Amino acid sequence: MPAADRSMEGIYLKERPGENERRNLLQQVAMGLQSLHEKGFVHGDVKKLNVMRVGNSLKLIDFDATKRFGHLVGAKFSSGILPPGKFLQLFYKLNSETEKNLYCSHWSSAKLTNPELWQKVKPKYGYVVKTFQNTQYKLPYDLVKAHPSLDAWAFGVLMYQMYSGGELVPTNINQDVLDDKIEQAATWTQELLEFRIRKNISNAFVRDLL
């Protein structure tokens, strides 16, 4: 197999694909996801950095977050592509100091030994992702099971980025939501989404798909 030459992020930023090429790129990603779903797996981390061009085709990479349908997801994530609570409930608002203490206790070892991981999972303005490191320990929320809708939302985020030139919600280089935007990411409503899409996507067909 030939080596990958550029991620979808690099293609978008450096090659500036036109509308037809963007449609072709997204179609290849969709076909890759369809193949994965037909085999009973959810990718779990669909973003431009995890799509690489190999030869003339795009390939999904980084299957660390991939799970079989019905298995628990959330141990690995990029919060900027996760659906808000109304859709698949992967964000959670800690409702009390007791819940916060329970959550922080679960991650106490990471807080001491892995500052980078703790920065990713620590509560931000009262919100967390429904993540975990050991299912034997109690958490203030129920864990989420893998479902194709997780990839469907992430693919929609990808499509929005490719056609609007911006992000649905501001993120860092790893596509994790910026701390002060976590509430926005966690509380999207259908009305707000439709307004954002109408405002920033000029292609009517793409608007309808989103």
Side-chain angles (χ1 to χ4, degrees):
M1 178 183 291
D5 72 337
R6 183 166 281 174
S7 70
M8 196 170 182
E9 173 83 348
I11 294 170
Y12 179 78
L13 292 175
K14 298 181 183 301
E15 299 178 16
R16 292 299 183 185
E19 191 160 303
N20 288 338
E21 180 60 19
R22 277 177 280 168
R23 182 169 62 247
N24 178 55
L25 294 171
L26 287 164
Q27 184 177 27
Q28 291 184 61
V29 176
M31 290 174 64
L33 287 174
Q34 181 181 18
S35 177
L36 197 62
H37 293 169
E38 287 173 350
K39 294 176 174 64
F41 289 93
V42 169
H43 184 278
D45 201 17
V46 180
K47 56 186 180 181
K48 293 199 294 288
L49 289 172
N50 286 343
V51 180
M52 297 295 296
R53 184 170 59 197
V54 180
N56 294 319
S57 301
L58 295 184
K59 305 291 184 182
L60 291 165
I61 65 166
D62 192 357
F63 294 93
D64 290 351
T66 300
K67 298 293 180 182
R68 284 192 176 276
F69 293 173
H71 288 212
L72 297 177
V73 293
K76 184 180 184 296
F77 64 87
S78 300
S79 59
I81 61 169
L82 295 180
K86 179 180 177 182
F87 296 86
L88 198 61
Q89 298 183 336
L90 269 157
F91 290 99
Y92 184 79
K93 184 172 178 59
L94 299 170
N95 294 306
S96 66
E97 196 66 24
T98 299
E99 287 195 345
K100 180 180 178 181
N101 290 338
L102 183 62
Y103 179 84
C104 291
S105 176
H106 182 86
W107 290 100
S108 58
S109 61
K111 188 175 181 179
L112 293 172
T113 63
N114 193 336
E116 184 177 354
L117 176 59
W118 174 243
Q119 176 61 36
K120 184 181 179 75
V121 302
K122 72 178 184 180
K124 300 173 178 69
Y125 293 87
Y127 285 90
V128 296
V129 171
K130 289 184 177 179
T131 186
F132 64 94
Q133 58 180 348
N134 190 324
T135 58
Q136 294 179 346
Y137 294 98
K138 189 175 181 181
L139 283 159
Y141 45 76
D142 293 328
L143 297 176
V144 177
K145 294 181 179 180
H147 188 275
S149 57
L150 177 62
D151 286 343
W153 175 273
F155 181 77
V157 172
L158 179 60
M159 184 183 295
Y160 179 89
Q161 293 170 341
M162 293 292 285
Y163 277 94
S164 73
E167 293 190 293
L168 192 60
V169 62
T171 66
N172 63 20
I173 192 172
N174 296 314
Q175 214 158 347
D176 284 317
V177 178
L178 299 183
D179 289 5
D180 62 348
K181 300 299 182 182
I182 189 73
E183 183 173 6
Q184 178 185 353
T187 58
W188 282 110
T189 64
Q190 190 66 36
E191 292 75 18
L192 285 173
L193 283 169
E194 289 176 357
F195 174 78
R196 178 69 69 86
I197 290 166
R198 287 196 305 270
K199 179 181 178 182
N200 295 318
I201 304 292
S202 59
N203 186 305
F205 179 69
V206 174
R207 286 201 304 269
D208 289 343
L209 285 176
L210 289 170

